[in-house]
Amino acid sequence: MSLFNEPGLLSFAIDFANGKLTEEEYIKNRTGNPPWTEARELRIKNHMLFIQYLGRLSPKNRRKAISASQNITQADLMTLIPCGDSTASALIANGTHKVGLEILARYALINRITFSTAKSPAASYEYNLNLFDMFDDLGIDYIVKGSLNEALQAMESHWCVKGCVIRQFGVNDIHLRIERKLNFTIVDILKHQKWSFDAVALELSKQPGYWGYFEYPSVYHNEHFMVFVGGIDKETTTKFTDSQVIGKVRLFDLSSMFGGK
């Protein structure tokens, strides 16, 4: 039984990932099929093969696959970057509009990937924080604060994604991806370590409402993001998280780290 309405999509993606098809052959075989639905299915069913699959795609097709695997649409990108329809189409559809470096940098942050993954023909299999250097070089605003509470206060109330650096005296910087959506807040620690997880967890435990956390696999080898999700209560936050993530994750109560129930 096919996993899709159109037969063969996943098998084409697997054959391409394993080098049995060229990119030209793969794209030709999937012409007329739903837009990259197999990318999400492959990411859910075989994460390591999905990484290999991305590495063989050209930058534009790679962006199509990454966004499709996360259900991010052209309309979403127009809101989050923000940009016009022709630019969003050039990022993940069939538009021919030239995409600037600033747009690619914002796209990379939204999709939890590096700048080189968004732009370079040769995909890197290692995650890094060079995107923040790109922000500096391109003059892109991102949040720099002394505490996470200050950073959260600096976020807009509408749907948005921001890069953030928490800079505290005598402590290494903590790099974050912060998203506000539908009255929920999502905080990713990028290149997390135990000390940065503990620091962010402690700060978020002081925030109102319910906070949960989970470990989320990236599209890079041996790299996971620690993700915190905050909302009004556990039930609605769990439902929201389930609707946003790829596959299944277990949401742990942040309060349990600090003696809560």
Side-chain angles (χ1 to χ4, degrees):
M1 180 178 177
S2 173
L3 293 169
F4 305 98
N5 293 328
E6 298 287 338
L9 283 174
L10 185 59
S11 63
F12 289 146
I14 292 171
D15 284 348
F16 169 68
N18 287 322
K20 295 180 181 179
L21 294 175
T22 66
E23 184 172 14
E24 182 179 2
E25 290 169 333
Y26 168 53
I27 298 302
K28 182 178 180 180
N29 281 330
R30 69 175 318 285
T31 299
N33 285 313
W36 298 85
T37 50
E38 74 275 24
R40 183 176 180 86
E41 195 71 20
L42 182 59
R43 187 169 182 172
I44 292 171
K45 291 187 173 295
N46 192 326
H47 187 256
M48 295 305 295
L49 191 60
F50 179 72
I51 295 173
Q52 188 172 312
Y53 164 81
L54 291 180
R56 298 199 68 229
L57 288 169
S58 58
K60 185 167 185 176
N61 285 331
R62 190 184 307 139
R63 294 194 300 269
K64 291 179 181 180
I66 288 172
S67 291
S69 76
Q70 301 180 106
N71 286 338
I72 293 178
T73 67
Q74 283 182 231
D76 294 337
L77 293 177
M78 291 169 64
T79 297
L80 292 171
I81 288 178
C83 64
D85 180 67
S86 60
T87 298
S89 176
L91 278 168
I92 63 170
N94 298 319
T96 58
H97 184 79
K98 184 176 180 180
V99 179
L101 298 181
E102 179 178 344
I103 297 294
L104 287 170
R106 293 185 187 277
Y107 172 87
L109 179 69
I110 291 165
N111 285 274
R112 296 180 170 94
I113 59 174
T114 65
F115 183 80
S116 63
T117 299
K119 183 180 186 298
S120 300
S124 171
Y125 292 106
E126 301 293 330
Y127 184 76
N128 59 59
L129 296 172
N130 294 345
L131 185 60
F132 286 86
D133 295 329
M134 290 297 305
F135 287 168
D136 285 333
D137 293 343
L138 295 171
I140 298 175
D141 290 336
Y142 60 94
I143 302 169
V144 180
K145 294 293 182 181
S147 73
L148 180 53
N149 181 61
E150 291 175 323
L152 293 174
Q153 294 300 317
M155 291 290 291
E156 292 95 339
S157 59
H158 59 82
W159 186 21
C160 62
V161 176
K162 298 283 188 182
C164 175
V165 178
I166 303 301
R167 209 158 267 171
Q168 297 175 316
F169 181 75
V171 180
N172 291 332
D173 291 345
I174 300 176
H175 294 78
L176 305 172
R177 174 192 182 275
I178 304 180
E179 180 174 357
R180 279 270 171 82
K181 185 177 184 181
L182 299 174
N183 296 318
F184 295 91
T185 303
I186 305 164
V187 179
D188 298 17
I189 310 178
L190 311 179
K191 298 294 286 185
H192 71 277
Q193 300 179 47
K194 185 180 184 305
W195 70 268
S196 59
F197 171 80
D198 289 345
V200 171
L202 180 60
E203 284 288 322
L204 291 178
S205 71
K206 302 172 185 176
Q207 297 294 316
Y210 169 83
W211 284 88
Y213 67 94
F214 61 93
E215 193 173 43
Y216 195 46
S218 72
V219 296
Y220 303 93
H221 290 311
N222 302 316
E223 187 70 42
H224 291 72
F225 301 118
M226 290 306 302
V227 181
F228 298 84
V229 186
I232 297 174
D233 55 46
K234 181 175 181 176
E235 181 180 2
T236 57
T237 304
T238 300
K239 289 181 178 178
F240 170 77
T241 302
D242 288 343
S243 73
Q244 299 298 303
V245 300
I246 301 163
K248 294 289 185 181
V249 298
R250 180 181 176 186
L251 192 64
F252 294 93
D253 293 347
L254 183 58
S255 62
S256 65
M257 294 180 57
F258 303 97
K261 294 182 180 181

